[in-house]
Amino acid sequence: MHTLTTQNLTLRPYQRSDFDAYAALMTGPRAQHMGGPHDSDGAWRNFVNDAASFTLNGFGCFIIVEDATPAGFAGMIQPPDFPEPEIGWGLYDGFEGRGIITRAARAILDDAFATTGRDSFVSYITPDNAASIKVAERLGAVRDDAATPPAGWNSLVYRHTPKGAAA
């Protein structure tokens, strides 16, 4: 596990003290785009999966910190039901519209391509999540209708490549 920095952001490993803010997002209505809303046990399982991903997969999720305040999370995960590693993100209430997710995800993609040897990652995005689709497109991802989303998920698949990450 390591820490990444970008303009005005620090991307650091999860800490137990991050759970309350994470759970507030994952148990609320905005989690509909992340397989939720979840109950608190489901939010905990997601939190632990995100945190453990570094150890199990060599890539994982980060808490996004802006001006010493957790603003959300972003990173790579691949639970057993995901056909491919996914870059995903979530933003806490009050941090929207500032480019935080785009800057964080760009740093994570650049780091992942430099350190994992993989030639692509995907984002699984529900068709009605226009904000995340815009983020994926800003990152240079291209919709990949030939890719398979996780079983039972109503998701579009956006593919990130090093060429898109460097855009």
Side-chain angles (χ1 to χ4, degrees):
M1 290 187 261
H2 56 284
T3 299
L4 301 174
T5 56
T6 185
Q7 183 181 0
N8 302 324
L9 300 178
T10 300
L11 308 162
R12 63 160 173 76
Y14 284 31
Q15 299 171 1
R16 187 173 181 93
S17 60
D18 295 320
F19 180 67
D20 288 343
Y22 180 96
L25 174 63
M26 297 302 281
T27 60
R30 291 177 53 200
Q32 70 180 329
H33 301 297
M34 296 174 273
H38 304 274
D39 61 18
S40 69
D41 287 342
W44 177 252
R45 283 190 297 275
N46 282 308
F47 184 82
V48 171
N49 175 77
D50 290 358
S53 189
F54 276 110
T55 300
L56 300 175
N57 297 320
F59 50 80
C61 284
F62 298 88
I63 294 296
I64 304 166
V65 179
E66 181 187 54
D67 299 326
T69 303
F73 61 90
M76 305 282 181
I77 60 169
Q78 188 177 14
D81 61 333
F82 279 27
E84 299 183 63
E86 181 203 25
I87 179 168
W89 46 78
L91 198 58
Y92 301 153
D93 286 337
F95 291 93
E96 302 89 347
R98 296 174 8 204
I100 291 171
I101 289 296
T102 302
R103 285 183 282 136
R106 168 93 50 222
I108 291 164
L109 280 166
D110 289 348
D111 180 68
F113 286 124
T115 61
T116 66
R118 295 193 57 88
D119 61 1
S120 73
F121 294 95
V122 297
S123 290
Y124 301 118
I125 304 174
T126 56
D128 62 339
N129 190 347
S132 282
I133 289 170
K134 286 179 185 176
V135 169
E137 290 173 345
R138 277 195 297 269
L139 293 168
V142 176
R143 189 167 156 182
D144 183 353
D145 292 332
T148 304
W153 284 44
N154 176 28
S155 295
L156 304 172
V157 180
Y158 279 80
R159 184 159 308 277
H160 304 270
T161 63
K163 181 179 177 184

